Amino acid sequence: MCSVNRLIAKNRYSALLAAAGLCCGFLAHAQSSAPHLERQGNRHALIVNGKPFLLLGAQINNSSSWESTLPQVWPALADLHANTVEAPVYWESMEPVKGQFQFANVDRLVEGARAHNLHLVLLWFGTWKNGQNHYVPEWIKSDTQQYPREISASGKLLDVMSPSSTNNLSADEHAFAMLMRHVKSIDGAQHTVIMIQVENESGAIGTVRDHSPEADREFASGVPSELTKALHLTSPSNWQKAYGADADERFGAYQTARYIGQVAAAGKAEYALPIYCNVWITYPVHALENRDRASAGQEYPSGGPQQANIQIWKAAAPAIDLLGPDFYSDDFTLFQQVVKDYARPDNPLFIPETALNKNFGRDFYYALGAGAIGFSPFGIDYTGWTLKGKEIPEFLTHDFSLLAPMQDVLARLNFEDKLRTAVETPGQSRRTIAFGDIDAVVSFGFPQSDGEQPPGTPDSHGRALIAQTGPMEFVVTGVDASVSFRLRQKFGQQHNQQLEILRVDQGQYNQGKWQTRRIWNGDQTDRGLNFQQAQPAVVRIRLHTIPLHAPEASR
Ligand code: DGJ
């Protein structure tokens, strides 16, 4: 091995060894333990059966968790190449009579997931569903005295449960705890269920905050000290002083977070699975409208874990492991910002719902590169509600089908911070990704001519994924992109070295082991590894270095 190779290898191997040690550590620890989240630096992993797990999810439609509809669910998930189904559990049917629980739908979901070789994320449609209370049982809906609602500023009784009410909280805590107890009893050893979503897109539609007498009293008594301490607020006592015009919404966020955090804690006391809340985020208002942001309680549920409420939620609901943004927009700049907002050292990135649009692949790659533990389109089943017909469009299956066979490898490499992605944006047809002293240069669109900027693709859909598997070895895939590797210029010159391809194998992982289908060379590799949309491929490339210049004597 030449000296530069040794140098590079040394850096990489020490990182690899550290990672291997760490993997062995958590393997031993977690083999028998329940699914859980782990953090390593700024990367997170969902650990399932002792290994990092990449959640290639699919959320079914709201009314699809039924015996009558599940037969139309399973084939769609297989067609998408999902490894996990996200499916609702309805409080109204789980506890139709106070204190009497029926878990038939839960059992059916667990059995169905197992029969179709899937993991399962249960979505607790409890006190909140899209900022309203529509899934609470009839005995709650019909007794507004015992189970008080939020009241708007004008005095209207809303279809939102008041988070100030201890009756509401105890009812939800009890039901959710019973659900978790049941899940543990049927799945505590097998770990089909890997995560739980508590409530769905919480917050209030119809008011900025609750104006019930209890809520008003609480609002008047000021910001609680637990929050002022956690958030280092300087004007602690008063909501208006602390948050100005946003006081009502922040108060609502505190109340909602505290309530759901307590529901989550009650569930975890029975069975400590990772628990998350999905988020109805705030979207920018149309440029022509004469205001700078969406209105709380009208265009999104007020007090939910939207971008501006993350801090309050983190402080007020420590039992919630992560806040996961649902994303329903074409706006990539917004998606990048949302990823930045939610991918935090204290918040693993997980996208529990996305729209079924052509940008699926772009957003999925981008999230993966930012360390996402999972990604999931919404409305995947053949009930006809979202997808018309009995087929999943290619723009949804393309990336899941290519990455599913190597999901374990990707999950591990992502956790070890060795996975990067490049995504094309309009006007930016080339990107460089750094792996230590090696640069991967990604050029989007074909044909590409030497010495010229790559053309890009007409709708900017180019993307590439590059994962480092050894000191001089990478696994690469992409869509309408070419990928070439070179030594960082300064480094190469300093050490009189240049990078060359030793060999490129096209193939795939099978049970974690690489299997070669053919060797790529010539037109497939000469101007970079060429990935065309119509020919999905994964390659493993091995590189080496040779001197940049011939020795003096031979010139
Ligand atoms: C987001 C919600 O979380 C889902 O349950 C569903 O209502 C979708 N919106 C529909 O687009």
Side-chain angles (χ1 to χ4, degrees):
M1 193 187 278
C2 79
S3 60
V4 174
N5 272 354
R6 261 202 302 274
L7 179 84
I8 296 170
K10 196 171 155 242
N11 294 339
R12 306 288 185 282
Y13 273 129
S14 44
L16 275 177
L17 284 176
L22 188 136
C23 289
C24 296
F26 72 64
L27 259 180
H29 149 73
Q31 200 75 53
S32 58
S33 66
H36 62 281
L37 291 157
E38 287 192 11
R39 178 177 162 195
Q40 188 176 293
N42 283 342
R43 291 271 156 164
H44 300 267
L46 172 61
I47 306 292
V48 177
N49 295 326
K51 290 186 302 187
F53 181 77
L54 176 62
L55 195 158
L56 302 175
Q59 184 161 151
I60 66 176
N61 282 298
N62 289 168
S63 305
S64 294
S65 277
W66 289 97
E67 189 173 17
S68 56
T69 40
L70 283 175
Q72 290 146 281
V73 161
W74 308 118
L77 300 174
D79 291 349
L80 178 66
H81 297 264
N83 61 24
T84 302
V85 52
E86 295 173 5
V89 175
Y90 317 115
W91 189 4
E92 62 180 345
S93 52
M94 197 188 87
E95 195 184 3
V97 176
K98 188 174 175 168
Q100 292 181 20
F101 293 94
Q102 297 180 356
F103 295 110
N105 273 9
V106 178
D107 295 345
R108 219 171 277 123
L109 287 170
V110 172
E111 283 156 20
R114 286 179 187 160
H116 295 87
N117 202 19
L118 291 163
H119 282 289
L120 175 60
V121 171
L122 293 173
L123 317 174
W124 173 237
F125 285 10
T127 298
W128 282 274
K129 164 71 173 75
N130 296 18
Q132 290 167 318
N133 68 351
H134 299 177
Y135 282 86
V136 301
E138 283 183 32
W139 51 271
I140 289 186
K141 269 186 198 151
S142 54
D143 190 348
T144 56
Q145 289 292 318
Q146 282 291 315
Y147 303 103
R149 310 292 185 84
E150 288 208 21
I151 299 174
S152 75
S154 66
K156 186 168 189 280
L157 214 57
L158 298 171
D159 49 357
V160 185
M161 304 310 294
S162 168
S164 294
S165 156
T166 49
N167 279 358
N168 292 345
L169 174 62
S170 321
D172 196 337
E173 275 177 339
H174 182 57
F176 188 64
M178 289 300 107
L179 170 64
M180 295 305 284
R181 181 180 294 183
H182 183 72
V183 172
K184 186 175 185 185
S185 74
I186 59 168
D187 194 50
Q190 201 164 331
H191 309 149
T192 298
V193 183
I194 55 176
M195 248 196 324
I196 305 285
Q197 179 187 294
V198 60
E199 317 297 344
N200 190 91
E201 293 191 343
S202 64
I205 292 287
T207 184
V208 182
R209 74 164 173 89
D210 185 11
H211 291 270
S212 66
E214 189 47 49
D216 276 349
R217 255 194 305 278
E218 218 188 306
F219 185 77
S221 71
V223 184
S225 58
E226 63 180 72
L227 207 59
T228 50
K229 265 191 232 132
L231 302 182
H232 310 292
L233 297 179
T234 44
S235 314
S237 59
N238 184 310
W239 284 98
Q240 283 97 341
K241 272 196 195 140
Y243 291 107
D246 294 322
D248 281 350
E249 189 185 352
R250 302 293 173 258
F251 170 72
Y254 170 69
Q255 284 206 309
T256 313
R258 182 186 57 188
Y259 182 111
I260 300 178
Q262 283 173 268
V263 174
K268 275 189 167 172
E270 295 292 338
Y271 185 25
L273 284 180
I275 291 191
Y276 74 94
C277 289
N278 67 329
V279 187
W280 181 331
I281 58 165
T282 57
Y283 294 89
V285 286
H286 194 276
L288 294 177
E289 291 179 36
N290 193 18
R291 58 204 175 105
D292 62 354
R293 56 180 162 152
S295 357
Q298 288 178 32
E299 288 157 305
Y300 67 93
S302 183
Q306 55 100 338
Q307 299 91 315
N309 290 335
I310 295 175
Q311 294 287 77
I312 290 182
W313 270 74
K314 284 285 168 191
I320 295 167
D321 296 291
L322 74 92
L323 307 171
D326 295 343
F327 195 74
Y328 287 90
S329 164
D330 287 347
D331 183 344
F332 188 52
T333 310
L334 175 66
F335 186 65
Q336 288 170 288
Q337 185 55 50
V338 166
V339 163
K340 208 162 155 207
D341 291 339
Y342 287 89
R344 303 164 30 130
D346 63 354
N347 197 67
L349 180 64
F350 174 51
I351 312 291
E353 293 181 35
T354 61
L356 307 183
N357 68 32
K358 297 241 150 77
N359 300 317
F360 176 80
R362 177 195 69 190
D363 294 353
F364 171 49
Y365 266 56
Y366 186 78
L368 256 189
I373 61 165
F375 197 88
S376 178
F378 175 84
I380 302 294
D381 59 44
Y382 291 145
T383 57
W385 184 257
T386 35
L387 293 165
K388 308 302 167 198
K390 305 268 182 242
E391 223 175 279
I392 310 282
E394 198 274 341
F395 63 80
L396 291 172
T397 57
H398 186 98
D399 301 292
F400 271 25
S401 62
L402 204 60
L403 302 194
M406 51 177 177
Q407 52 185 281
D408 287 1
V409 177
L410 295 180
R412 176 176 55 79
L413 292 168
N414 211 2
F415 191 35
E416 292 169 7
D417 202 12
K418 296 199 177 83
L419 186 154
R420 300 279 181 273
T421 57
V423 170
E424 181 184 357
T425 49
Q428 273 220 302
S429 58
R430 178 166 281 155
R431 289 201 180 270
T432 301
I433 305 175
F435 289 90
D437 299 313
I438 297 175
D439 279 341
V441 182
V442 183
S443 306
F444 299 110
F446 297 108
Q448 295 177 4
S449 315
D450 291 343
E452 282 176 27
Q453 278 296 309
T457 62
D459 57 352
S460 303
H461 67 254
R463 52 195 183 270
L465 178 153
I466 305 165
Q468 186 160 27
T469 45
M472 298 287 247
E473 186 184 290
F474 297 84
V475 167
V476 191
T477 186
V479 175
D480 287 336
S482 82
V483 180
S484 23
F485 293 86
R486 61 181 185 209
L487 276 186
R488 169 93 24 95
Q489 207 181 8
K490 211 168 137 203
F491 183 87
Q493 270 165 3
Q494 216 174 358
H495 296 274
N496 186 32
Q497 294 289 318
Q498 57 181 312
L499 210 53
E500 264 191 354
I501 294 177
L502 264 182
R503 172 173 155 149
V504 178
D505 295 46
Q506 186 202 341
Q508 188 45 281
Y509 282 93
N510 185 3
Q511 319 264 18
K513 284 211 165 60
W514 176 262
Q515 290 183 341
T516 298
R517 202 169 295 158
R518 62 173 173 164
I519 290 180
W520 266 17
N521 209 334
D523 292 343
Q524 281 66 55
T525 61
D526 286 346
R527 281 167 190 77
L529 309 170
N530 287 313
F531 297 97
Q532 297 178 15
Q533 174 139 34
Q535 297 191 313
V538 178
V539 305
R540 189 182 66 176
I541 181 168
R542 280 198 292 122
L543 304 160
H544 76 148
T545 53
I546 58 164
L548 192 56
H549 301 292
E552 289 288 341
S554 63
R555 285 190 218 165

PDB file of all heavy atoms in Angstrom, residues 365-384:
ATOM      1  N   TYR A 365     -34.346  11.239  -0.780  1.00  0.00           N
ATOM      2  CA  TYR A 365     -32.876  11.272  -0.793  1.00  0.00           C
ATOM      3  C   TYR A 365     -32.356  12.381   0.118  1.00  0.00           C
ATOM      4  O   TYR A 365     -31.400  12.200   0.859  1.00  0.00           O
ATOM      5  CB  TYR A 365     -32.365  11.493  -2.222  1.00  0.00           C
ATOM      6  CG  TYR A 365     -32.028  10.222  -2.969  1.00  0.00           C
ATOM      7  CD1 TYR A 365     -32.967   9.213  -3.120  1.00  0.00           C
ATOM      8  CD2 TYR A 365     -30.775  10.030  -3.533  1.00  0.00           C
ATOM      9  CE1 TYR A 365     -32.674   8.056  -3.807  1.00  0.00           C
ATOM     10  CE2 TYR A 365     -30.466   8.862  -4.227  1.00  0.00           C
ATOM     11  CZ  TYR A 365     -31.421   7.887  -4.367  1.00  0.00           C
ATOM     12  OH  TYR A 365     -31.113   6.736  -5.046  1.00  0.00           O
ATOM     13  N   TYR A 366     -32.996  13.533   0.039  1.00  0.00           N
ATOM     14  CA  TYR A 366     -32.515  14.661   0.832  1.00  0.00           C
ATOM     15  C   TYR A 366     -32.599  14.333   2.332  1.00  0.00           C
ATOM     16  O   TYR A 366     -31.661  14.569   3.093  1.00  0.00           O
ATOM     17  CB  TYR A 366     -33.307  15.932   0.515  1.00  0.00           C
ATOM     18  CG  TYR A 366     -32.721  17.117   1.220  1.00  0.00           C
ATOM     19  CD1 TYR A 366     -31.572  17.734   0.729  1.00  0.00           C
ATOM     20  CD2 TYR A 366     -33.270  17.586   2.417  1.00  0.00           C
ATOM     21  CE1 TYR A 366     -30.991  18.792   1.413  1.00  0.00           C
ATOM     22  CE2 TYR A 366     -32.698  18.641   3.100  1.00  0.00           C
ATOM     23  CZ  TYR A 366     -31.562  19.246   2.593  1.00  0.00           C
ATOM     24  OH  TYR A 366     -30.977  20.282   3.275  1.00  0.00           O
ATOM     25  N   ALA A 367     -33.728  13.758   2.723  1.00  0.00           N
ATOM     26  CA  ALA A 367     -33.910  13.423   4.143  1.00  0.00           C
ATOM     27  C   ALA A 367     -32.888  12.366   4.580  1.00  0.00           C
ATOM     28  O   ALA A 367     -32.299  12.469   5.658  1.00  0.00           O
ATOM     29  CB  ALA A 367     -35.334  12.924   4.384  1.00  0.00           C
ATOM     30  N   LEU A 368     -32.670  11.374   3.700  1.00  0.00           N
ATOM     31  CA  LEU A 368     -31.687  10.338   4.038  1.00  0.00           C
ATOM     32  C   LEU A 368     -30.310  10.950   4.288  1.00  0.00           C
ATOM     33  O   LEU A 368     -29.624  10.604   5.250  1.00  0.00           O
ATOM     34  CB  LEU A 368     -31.551   9.374   2.863  1.00  0.00           C
ATOM     35  CG  LEU A 368     -32.199   8.020   2.952  1.00  0.00           C
ATOM     36  CD1 LEU A 368     -31.765   7.155   1.781  1.00  0.00           C
ATOM     37  CD2 LEU A 368     -31.856   7.331   4.270  1.00  0.00           C
ATOM     38  N   GLY A 369     -29.926  11.852   3.390  1.00  0.00           N
ATOM     39  CA  GLY A 369     -28.617  12.500   3.522  1.00  0.00           C
ATOM     40  C   GLY A 369     -28.523  13.323   4.799  1.00  0.00           C
ATOM     41  O   GLY A 369     -27.432  13.573   5.307  1.00  0.00           O
ATOM     42  N   ALA A 370     -29.667  13.750   5.317  1.00  0.00           N
ATOM     43  CA  ALA A 370     -29.673  14.522   6.571  1.00  0.00           C
ATOM     44  C   ALA A 370     -29.804  13.595   7.776  1.00  0.00           C
ATOM     45  O   ALA A 370     -30.023  14.048   8.887  1.00  0.00           O
ATOM     46  CB  ALA A 370     -30.806  15.532   6.549  1.00  0.00           C
ATOM     47  N   GLY A 371     -29.704  12.283   7.540  1.00  0.00           N
ATOM     48  CA  GLY A 371     -29.689  11.331   8.649  1.00  0.00           C
ATOM     49  C   GLY A 371     -31.041  10.776   9.041  1.00  0.00           C
ATOM     50  O   GLY A 371     -31.191  10.236  10.144  1.00  0.00           O
ATOM     51  N   ALA A 372     -32.051  10.888   8.169  1.00  0.00           N
ATOM     52  CA  ALA A 372     -33.397  10.425   8.541  1.00  0.00           C
ATOM     53  C   ALA A 372     -33.394   8.947   8.934  1.00  0.00           C
ATOM     54  O   ALA A 372     -32.734   8.131   8.298  1.00  0.00           O
ATOM     55  CB  ALA A 372     -34.366  10.646   7.386  1.00  0.00           C
ATOM     56  N   ILE A 373     -34.177   8.634   9.963  1.00  0.00           N
ATOM     57  CA  ILE A 373     -34.327   7.228  10.355  1.00  0.00           C
ATOM     58  C   ILE A 373     -35.462   6.575   9.566  1.00  0.00           C
ATOM     59  O   ILE A 373     -35.621   5.362   9.596  1.00  0.00           O
ATOM     60  CB  ILE A 373     -34.582   7.063  11.871  1.00  0.00           C
ATOM     61  CG1 ILE A 373     -35.882   7.786  12.271  1.00  0.00           C
ATOM     62  CG2 ILE A 373     -33.399   7.561  12.685  1.00  0.00           C
ATOM     63  CD1 ILE A 373     -36.400   7.370  13.640  1.00  0.00           C
ATOM     64  N   GLY A 374     -36.253   7.393   8.863  1.00  0.00           N
ATOM     65  CA  GLY A 374     -37.340   6.808   8.094  1.00  0.00           C
ATOM     66  C   GLY A 374     -38.086   7.854   7.287  1.00  0.00           C
ATOM     67  O   GLY A 374     -37.959   9.065   7.536  1.00  0.00           O
ATOM     68  N   PHE A 375     -38.867   7.343   6.339  1.00  0.00           N
ATOM     69  CA  PHE A 375     -39.570   8.213   5.393  1.00  0.00           C
ATOM     70  C   PHE A 375     -40.793   7.456   4.921  1.00  0.00           C
ATOM     71  O   PHE A 375     -40.701   6.262   4.634  1.00  0.00           O
ATOM     72  CB  PHE A 375     -38.635   8.500   4.215  1.00  0.00           C
ATOM     73  CG  PHE A 375     -39.042   9.676   3.386  1.00  0.00           C
ATOM     74  CD1 PHE A 375     -38.606  10.951   3.719  1.00  0.00           C
ATOM     75  CD2 PHE A 375     -39.837   9.513   2.264  1.00  0.00           C
ATOM     76  CE1 PHE A 375     -38.959  12.053   2.944  1.00  0.00           C
ATOM     77  CE2 PHE A 375     -40.201  10.607   1.483  1.00  0.00           C
ATOM     78  CZ  PHE A 375     -39.749  11.871   1.822  1.00  0.00           C
ATOM     79  N   SER A 376     -41.926   8.142   4.808  1.00  0.00           N
ATOM     80  CA  SER A 376     -43.137   7.394   4.551  1.00  0.00           C
ATOM     81  C   SER A 376     -44.181   8.192   3.768  1.00  0.00           C
ATOM     82  O   SER A 376     -44.650   9.221   4.251  1.00  0.00           O
ATOM     83  CB  SER A 376     -43.709   6.980   5.915  1.00  0.00           C
ATOM     84  OG  SER A 376     -44.900   6.295   5.737  1.00  0.00           O
ATOM     85  N   PRO A 377     -44.551   7.735   2.590  1.00  0.00           N
ATOM     86  CA  PRO A 377     -45.641   8.406   1.868  1.00  0.00           C
ATOM     87  C   PRO A 377     -46.992   8.078   2.514  1.00  0.00           C
ATOM     88  O   PRO A 377     -47.156   7.015   3.114  1.00  0.00           O
ATOM     89  CB  PRO A 377     -45.555   7.811   0.463  1.00  0.00           C
ATOM     90  CG  PRO A 377     -44.898   6.488   0.627  1.00  0.00           C
ATOM     91  CD  PRO A 377     -43.997   6.594   1.829  1.00  0.00           C
ATOM     92  N   PHE A 378     -47.941   9.008   2.374  1.00  0.00           N
ATOM     93  CA  PHE A 378     -49.269   8.822   2.968  1.00  0.00           C
ATOM     94  C   PHE A 378     -50.275   8.318   1.929  1.00  0.00           C
ATOM     95  O   PHE A 378     -50.297   8.783   0.789  1.00  0.00           O
ATOM     96  CB  PHE A 378     -49.799  10.140   3.542  1.00  0.00           C
ATOM     97  CG  PHE A 378     -51.205  10.013   4.050  1.00  0.00           C
ATOM     98  CD1 PHE A 378     -51.453   9.524   5.327  1.00  0.00           C
ATOM     99  CD2 PHE A 378     -52.293  10.303   3.230  1.00  0.00           C
ATOM    100  CE1 PHE A 378     -52.748   9.354   5.786  1.00  0.00           C
ATOM    101  CE2 PHE A 378     -53.592  10.141   3.681  1.00  0.00           C
ATOM    102  CZ  PHE A 378     -53.817   9.659   4.965  1.00  0.00           C
ATOM    103  N   GLY A 379     -51.128   7.401   2.355  1.00  0.00           N
ATOM    104  CA  GLY A 379     -52.260   6.983   1.516  1.00  0.00           C
ATOM    105  C   GLY A 379     -51.942   5.792   0.636  1.00  0.00           C
ATOM    106  O   GLY A 379     -52.427   5.698  -0.489  1.00  0.00           O
ATOM    107  N   ILE A 380     -51.115   4.868   1.174  1.00  0.00           N
ATOM    108  CA  ILE A 380     -50.716   3.711   0.371  1.00  0.00           C
ATOM    109  C   ILE A 380     -51.629   2.526   0.694  1.00  0.00           C
ATOM    110  O   ILE A 380     -51.464   1.836   1.704  1.00  0.00           O
ATOM    111  CB  ILE A 380     -49.237   3.335   0.640  1.00  0.00           C
ATOM    112  CG1 ILE A 380     -48.311   4.530   0.333  1.00  0.00           C
ATOM    113  CG2 ILE A 380     -48.836   2.107  -0.177  1.00  0.00           C
ATOM    114  CD1 ILE A 380     -48.243   4.944  -1.119  1.00  0.00           C
ATOM    115  N   ASP A 381     -52.622   2.355  -0.116  1.00  0.00           N
ATOM    116  CA  ASP A 381     -53.444   1.134  -0.115  1.00  0.00           C
ATOM    117  C   ASP A 381     -54.275   1.164  -1.380  1.00  0.00           C
ATOM    118  O   ASP A 381     -54.300   2.180  -2.101  1.00  0.00           O
ATOM    119  CB  ASP A 381     -54.300   0.998   1.163  1.00  0.00           C
ATOM    120  CG  ASP A 381     -55.262   2.164   1.376  1.00  0.00           C
ATOM    121  OD1 ASP A 381     -55.901   2.592   0.412  1.00  0.00           O
ATOM    122  OD2 ASP A 381     -55.377   2.628   2.531  1.00  0.00           O
ATOM    123  N   TYR A 382     -54.930   0.039  -1.663  1.00  0.00           N
ATOM    124  CA  TYR A 382     -55.725  -0.026  -2.898  1.00  0.00           C
ATOM    125  C   TYR A 382     -57.224   0.120  -2.616  1.00  0.00           C
ATOM    126  O   TYR A 382     -58.057  -0.479  -3.271  1.00  0.00           O
ATOM    127  CB  TYR A 382     -55.430  -1.341  -3.648  1.00  0.00           C
ATOM    128  CG  TYR A 382     -54.027  -1.412  -4.236  1.00  0.00           C
ATOM    129  CD1 TYR A 382     -53.330  -2.620  -4.284  1.00  0.00           C
ATOM    130  CD2 TYR A 382     -53.401  -0.286  -4.754  1.00  0.00           C
ATOM    131  CE1 TYR A 382     -52.048  -2.698  -4.838  1.00  0.00           C
ATOM    132  CE2 TYR A 382     -52.118  -0.347  -5.293  1.00  0.00           C
ATOM    133  CZ  TYR A 382     -51.451  -1.546  -5.327  1.00  0.00           C
ATOM    134  OH  TYR A 382     -50.184  -1.609  -5.868  1.00  0.00           O
ATOM    135  N   THR A 383     -57.564   0.958  -1.595  1.00  0.00           N
ATOM    136  CA  THR A 383     -58.986   1.203  -1.341  1.00  0.00           C
ATOM    137  C   THR A 383     -59.550   2.195  -2.358  1.00  0.00           C
ATOM    138  O   THR A 383     -60.763   2.392  -2.425  1.00  0.00           O
ATOM    139  CB  THR A 383     -59.206   1.795   0.066  1.00  0.00           C
ATOM    140  OG1 THR A 383     -58.438   3.012   0.173  1.00  0.00           O
ATOM    141  CG2 THR A 383     -58.780   0.840   1.165  1.00  0.00           C
ATOM    142  N   GLY A 384     -58.688   2.885  -3.097  1.00  0.00           N
ATOM    143  CA  GLY A 384     -59.143   3.834  -4.109  1.00  0.00           C
ATOM    144  C   GLY A 384     -59.204   5.269  -3.609  1.00  0.00           C
ATOM    145  O   GLY A 384     -59.530   6.182  -4.354  1.00  0.00           O
TER     146      GLY A 384
END
